Amino acid sequence: MIRDNYTDLPQVLIETLPRVLADPGTRTGLQELRNEGWLDWQILLALANIAANLRLQQTSPGSIPRDYPTRFFRTPESHYATALPLNAFTADSLRAQMDVTLLAVAQRRWKLGSAMTTPNPQAFKELSITRYNYATDDVPHRDLLNGAPDERGGLITPGT
């Protein structure tokens, strides 16, 4: 899963990711997340999910395809008419997105649920880290903030 994030998500964000990394304010927010212990694949996943939600908002209500999430992750950004606003990728919005993403991953991948009406994202995060190695990054890759994607948008060096 982590390898796929490093391989696929930079391609999905082929236009947005370079803009995010070049913007000083957005980059500062990403560094803040990194200082909190976020891994590159977690940052990429949150960026991609925010991008998917923004693209969905740009779609006419009657034209949203049933396979929208899958289609988004397979459609190049150049297909879309407008660039995504960088102010959507703040550290706070990425944190909120990751809370939702973590709950979805816990439910889908590990079949975890909550008896509470409003789940506790911090508890899910702690459980995911201690029991499921959610804070592990065992895939060699280029550093997102210091190495940046290569000319093809990749973070994994071919052959690794």
Side-chain angles (χ1 to χ4, degrees), residues 59-106:
T59 306
S60 303
S63 64
I64 298 172
R66 285 199 165 127
D67 66 340
Y68 174 74
T70 303
R71 184 176 295 185
F72 167 78
F73 287 105
R74 292 197 177 117
T75 303
E77 278 195 301
S78 57
H79 172 77
Y80 299 100
T82 58
L84 297 175
L86 292 179
N87 64 358
F89 300 101
T90 64
D92 287 339
S93 65
L94 289 164
R95 279 187 203 95
Q97 179 60 57
M98 189 48 81
D99 285 348
V100 173
T101 300
L102 177 57
L103 293 172
V105 167

Side-chain angles (χ1 to χ4, degrees), residues 8-20:
D8 300 341
L9 296 181
Q11 296 303 313
V12 169
L13 299 167
I14 195 78
E15 294 178 13
T16 300
L17 187 57
R19 291 178 51 238
V20 162

Side-chain angles (χ1 to χ4, degrees), residues 18-88:
R19 291 178 51 238
V20 162
L21 294 173
D23 181 72
T26 308
R27 191 177 177 87
T28 297
L30 297 182
Q31 187 61 56
E32 185 180 319
L33 297 175
R34 171 77 68 74
N35 293 344
E36 292 172 11
W38 283 46
L39 303 173
D40 286 348
W41 70 265
Q42 295 167 330
I43 292 170
L44 283 169
L45 189 57
L47 289 169
N49 281 315
I50 288 175
N53 288 325
L54 290 170
R55 294 293 183 206
L56 183 60
Q57 292 171 13
Q58 293 175 346
T59 306
S60 303
S63 64
I64 298 172
R66 285 199 165 127
D67 66 340
Y68 174 74
T70 303
R71 184 176 295 185
F72 167 78
F73 287 105
R74 292 197 177 117
T75 303
E77 278 195 301
S78 57
H79 172 77
Y80 299 100
T82 58
L84 297 175
L86 292 179
N87 64 358

Side-chain angles (χ1 to χ4, degrees), residues 130-144:
T130 57
R131 183 158 183 186
Y132 299 99
N133 295 318
Y134 190 72
T136 299
D137 189 346
D138 57 358
V139 176
H141 65 282
R142 296 169 67 113
D143 185 287
L144 180 63

